[in-house]
Amino acid sequence: MSAVLREARWQVRRARRGLVGWAVALAAVAGVYIPFYPAIGGDELQGMVDALPAELSQALGYDRLGSAAGYVTSTVYGLLGMALLLVLAVGAGARAVAGEEESGLLELAAAAPVRRAALVDGRALALTLRTGALSVVLFVVTTALVRVADMDVAIGGLAAGSLQLWLFATAVGLVALAVGAATGRRVLGLAVGAALAVGGYVADAISGLVADAVWLAGISPYAWYLGADPLVTGVDAGGVLRLAELGVAAWLAGRTLIGRRDLGV
């Protein structure tokens, strides 16, 4: 087994208990929101949305609430489900290298006969696997609940939304990992990762409200993820490509920059 796979397996094993907790939390989010739709969805919910200022409902993503797929998008994939996965990804990414460096654990790993780039590769792979596993959990639970509730949401749309959420969270988490690998500061990794996630959301919201700011959607990872409404239209190839490029660029930057720093070993 290569050093990268050994490192990834070790990191996943260390995080397995926490991963169960995150899976339960994501399942709970879907379980809280989706069963309510048959009682409040359709025309009644659309009427509530229509009563709000159009700019406000669009900025918050409430303009999608009138349909079953839009409801799942706004409540699960565009709100709490997304937020939970981003919190995990950014926290794990910032901690993967910089957090262990600050605690002194990274020096032990770097002193072993393993290239620094392999350490970053293994931890990036572990992060990708963790977010992927949780995205699958969200997809399975959501699919089961919409079927029980007899909601008009295509399984292909749920698969597309789960895929793009996985890529979005992973890319943001890898940016946090890269910043931590480049600087050795966990807080900085957290700050940059959180700023990217929140800034992308804000940029997408502004692009829909201000005519001269439409271009902001083109640089927003949130827009790459949810802008084409994947639960309704299916996989957005352009969005998938941009999110994958961001993640790969962050991973390459992290594995390159850590080799230029003095880790004290």
Side-chain angles (χ1 to χ4, degrees):
M1 184 182 296
S2 71
V4 172
L5 293 180
R6 284 197 300 270
E7 182 67 26
R9 185 179 68 171
W10 167 239
Q11 293 298 326
V12 171
R13 288 182 62 186
R14 290 176 61 192
R16 64 184 183 275
R17 290 185 180 178
L19 200 62
V20 172
W22 285 103
V24 170
L26 283 169
V29 167
V32 166
Y33 280 110
I34 293 175
F36 281 102
Y37 183 79
I40 65 173
D43 294 338
E44 181 178 349
L45 188 57
Q46 186 61 52
M48 295 170 59
V49 173
D50 291 342
L52 296 173
E55 294 81 4
L56 177 62
S57 63
Q58 183 177 352
L60 297 176
Y62 290 171
D63 55 324
R64 298 185 175 102
L65 287 174
S67 67
Y71 177 83
V72 175
T73 298
S74 295
T75 56
V76 178
Y77 282 83
L79 190 61
L80 282 184
M82 177 190 70
L84 284 175
L85 204 55
L86 284 172
V87 169
L88 164 75
V90 172
R95 186 170 55 251
V97 176
E100 294 205 357
E101 183 176 352
E102 291 178 349
S103 66
L105 294 176
L106 189 66
E107 293 181 7
L108 297 176
V114 179
R115 294 181 297 109
R116 293 182 184 182
L119 291 177
V120 172
D121 292 347
R123 291 163 196 235
L125 177 57
L127 171 62
T128 303
L129 293 174
R130 290 168 67 186
T131 54
L134 291 174
S135 298
V136 170
V137 169
L138 184 62
F139 167 70
V140 171
V141 173
T142 303
T143 299
L145 289 172
V146 299
R147 289 294 165 263
V148 170
D150 195 25
M151 296 170 64
D152 184 20
V153 184
I155 294 179
L158 291 171
S162 301
L163 169 65
Q164 293 185 206
L165 176 57
W166 169 52
L167 291 173
F168 177 40
T170 302
V172 175
L174 289 175
V175 168
L177 186 153
V179 172
T183 65
R185 298 177 60 188
R186 182 179 65 88
V187 172
L188 191 56
L190 286 171
V192 173
L196 178 62
V198 175
Y201 179 87
V202 172
D204 179 65
I206 293 174
S207 71
L209 299 176
V210 181
D212 292 339
V214 174
W215 61 272
L216 287 174
I219 61 171
S220 165
Y222 177 84
W224 303 342
Y225 156 49
L226 213 54
D229 215 354
L231 270 72
V232 175
T233 62
V235 173
D236 172 24
V240 166
L241 179 60
R242 291 185 182 93
L243 291 170
E245 288 174 341
L246 175 61
V248 170
W251 160 59
L252 292 175
R255 74 191 307 271
T256 300
L257 294 173
I258 195 172
R260 301 176 181 178
R261 296 181 47 241
D262 179 9
L263 300 182
V265 293

